[in-house]
Every structure is written in C-alpha cells, then in structure tokens.
Amino acid sequence: MTVGTRPRARRGTARTAVRTHVSGAASTALRPLLGAPRRPARVLAAFPAGLYLEVRTELEPQVVAVVTGEATRLPNAVVLNGDMPRAEVGDDAAVGDGSIEVGGLSLRAGRWWNPTPRLGPVDPARLAEALAAMSETCASSPRRPGLDRSQTVAELAEGCAAGSLVRMIDAAEGLVGLGPGLTPSGDDILSGTLVSLRHLGLAAGAERAVQLAGWLAAAVTFDARTRTTPISATLLHCAARGEASAEVLAVLRGIAGRQALEPALNRLLRIGHTSGADLAWGLLIGLSAVLDLAEVTS
C-alpha cells in the first residue's frame, strides 16, 4: 500500500472555528502522547476507514492512527465512536492536552484498551499443537507473505531458533524497511516475531526467548526513522514494547488456548495485501523459536 506525499497547499489547520467533539477508545500506548502538551501534527495518510497523524517531535517518529470500528485496531490507534473526519494528506492537526484535533474534529479518549496481552502460563505441549495448526493454515492460505521464500527471513528464523544473537541481528538488519508500502513486509515480520518471542516466551518460561526479544527490539528500533516509513517505525517501537494490534493479540490468545485459534488466524491473514500474512509469518517464527529454546532450558 502506497500513498502520495507530493507537496500541495494546506487545506486544513490545527484549529478551526467550529469543532465536533467526539470520544473514542484509545490504546494505552498513546497515554504519554495524549497526556503531553499539545504538539503540531500532520495527516500522513488518509483512507475511508482511517487517518494516520505524524506528531512532530525531535526523536523517533510518533504516529497516531484514528480509525473506525471496521479498520485494523493497531496498537497506536484510537477507535472513533462516529464518522471519520474529512482530511487529506498534508492537512494540519494537533495531538496533546488530552485530545486529537483533525479535520474539524476534537477527539478525546472515552475509554482505554490494552495492546499488550496477558496470557498467563502455557504448557509447551499446547504451543506445539498451535504451531502445527498455524503452519497448516498459513500454508494452505492464498494470502502469501510479501517476502515469501526470502533467504533473509529464513536466516532470522534459524537465528531465533538457535538462540544466536549474532545471526538473528544480522538477519533483522536486512529486513528493516524491506518491501514497499506504509508498513514494509520486513517490518511486519519483525513485529510479529518480537511480540511472539516476548509473550509466548514468558508464557512458556523460555527465558532465552525473552532475552532475544529484548535484543531484537533494540536492534530494529535504533534510528528506525531513517530506515523505514514513519508509520512502520512507530509500529516497530510498539512491538518492541510488546504491543500489538487487536488481530495479533487474538492470535496470541488462540495460541495460548484462551480462545479459538483458527478464526483469529484467518482474520489476521486477511489484513491488507500482505501485512496480515507477514505478521502471521513473524508469529510463527517466534512460536517455533520459543519451543526450541524451551526444550534447551528444560
């Protein structure tokens, strides 16, 4: 998925004479940004079901997704209780002091949702069953990853499974920003791998997997804004903290036996052109590594 960013005259401003005040369900990952002093922002991408706002900071990119209930609930999203405001790429916005202002809309968090799963302990035998089921569903799905048959992805999987920090980081460095679109395939795979290693590693008591997640997080987020798109850099930072979309969280809960796995996995696979399949591939890489590393430490 691509979006044009050709300079043009600004149509909107951060403040308008009349504003519509609405509420939404905000990710707790956005608490620091929404609670900070008001900062200028701009519309980075605009679609019928969502807007991406880039907040202007001196540090790593901070992108906020404003979406409807039909859109993917990203870990950096506020889900509107109402219609999407009319806005175009390049329009001014503002984020902070408890609200988001864009396209004549003033949006505040009416409630919060947590993008970090709470899985609890999981028997490795349960994870092995989930790995077999996921592998079968992904292999038979017509939705293919954007980097299908990539040697670099295979090297990432091998490095994670072996618990090799050097091999894992070498492969990850080659994947950051790899592929077209707002969220390149390489980044989606890394995001899935990060949350899978961290949360399933904790659930299975595979300490080495959790350690690898920490090192991988540091490697893929270092200076991410120069290596990938602002939206994808923000999502990598979310994944590094263990935060994921609602669709990914559902698959993690399915893997842990907290809900049905197959329907959740099929919903994830349908996201975007390749994003859902890329995320599922990353989850598989992490899950397989957790099982291998849990056997080593048991």
Side-chain angles (χ1 to χ4, degrees):
M1 179 168 56
T2 58
V3 60
T5 56
R6 181 167 54 86
R8 63 174 187 84
R10 294 287 175 86
R11 188 177 65 84
T13 61
R15 298 183 185 274
T16 59
V18 178
R19 288 202 172 275
T20 301
H21 295 271
V22 299
S23 65
S27 166
T28 54
L30 296 176
R31 278 189 190 273
L33 197 58
L34 290 174
R38 177 190 175 96
R39 292 189 178 107
R42 70 184 180 97
V43 177
L44 193 62
F47 304 98
L51 298 173
Y52 294 95
L53 310 179
E54 182 178 21
V55 183
R56 297 162 191 167
T57 69
E58 296 178 355
L59 301 176
E60 289 288 342
Q62 297 191 65
V63 175
V64 177
V66 179
V67 302
T68 66
E70 291 75 36
T72 301
R73 187 182 291 195
L74 297 171
N76 60 329
V78 181
V79 183
L80 275 173
N81 293 330
D83 296 329
M84 184 62 55
R86 298 183 65 179
E88 297 179 9
V89 173
D91 282 357
D92 287 335
V95 176
D97 289 340
S99 70
I100 297 170
E101 296 184 0
V102 59
L105 194 74
S106 181
L107 171 61
R108 288 184 174 271
R111 61 187 179 89
W112 299 88
W113 60 277
N114 190 348
T116 305
R118 296 290 184 265
L119 300 180
V122 179
D123 192 317
R126 167 65 204 177
L127 298 184
E129 292 175 3
L131 177 61
M134 279 190 69
S135 298
E136 182 178 351
T137 298
C138 289
S140 62
S141 173
R143 307 302 294 269
R144 307 308 304 163
L147 300 178
D148 204 3
R149 305 181 188 278
S150 165
Q151 181 58 35
T152 308
V153 177
E155 290 168 357
L156 174 70
E158 291 167 3
C160 290
S164 171
L165 180 60
V166 172
R167 292 171 62 188
M168 179 187 71
I169 297 301
D170 282 347
E173 291 289 342
L175 288 173
V176 175
L178 185 60
L182 295 174
T183 57
S185 290
D187 296 344
D188 286 331
I189 290 168
L190 288 167
S191 291
T193 302
L194 275 166
V195 296
S196 188
L197 281 173
R198 181 183 300 278
H199 294 298
L200 297 178
L202 283 170
E207 183 178 347
R208 181 59 176 169
V210 180
Q211 292 172 344
L212 287 179
W215 283 105
L216 182 61
V220 302
T221 57
F222 176 74
D223 204 20
R225 65 179 174 178
T226 68
R227 300 193 287 166
T228 189
T229 67
I231 294 173
S232 201
T234 296
L235 293 176
L236 283 174
H237 277 274
C238 288
R241 296 189 296 266
E243 299 158 356
S245 69
E247 291 78 6
V248 169
L249 297 182
V251 174
L252 287 171
R253 287 193 290 267
I255 291 170
R258 309 296 185 247
Q259 68 177 75
L261 174 58
E262 187 172 357
L265 180 55
N266 283 324
R267 285 194 298 272
L268 177 63
L269 287 167
R270 288 194 293 269
I271 293 176
H273 295 294
T274 66
S275 286
D278 293 326
L279 286 163
W281 196 356
L283 291 172
L284 274 171
I285 289 172
L287 171 57
S288 180
V290 166
L291 282 168
D292 287 336
L293 296 171
E295 290 179 0
V296 170
T297 57
S298 60

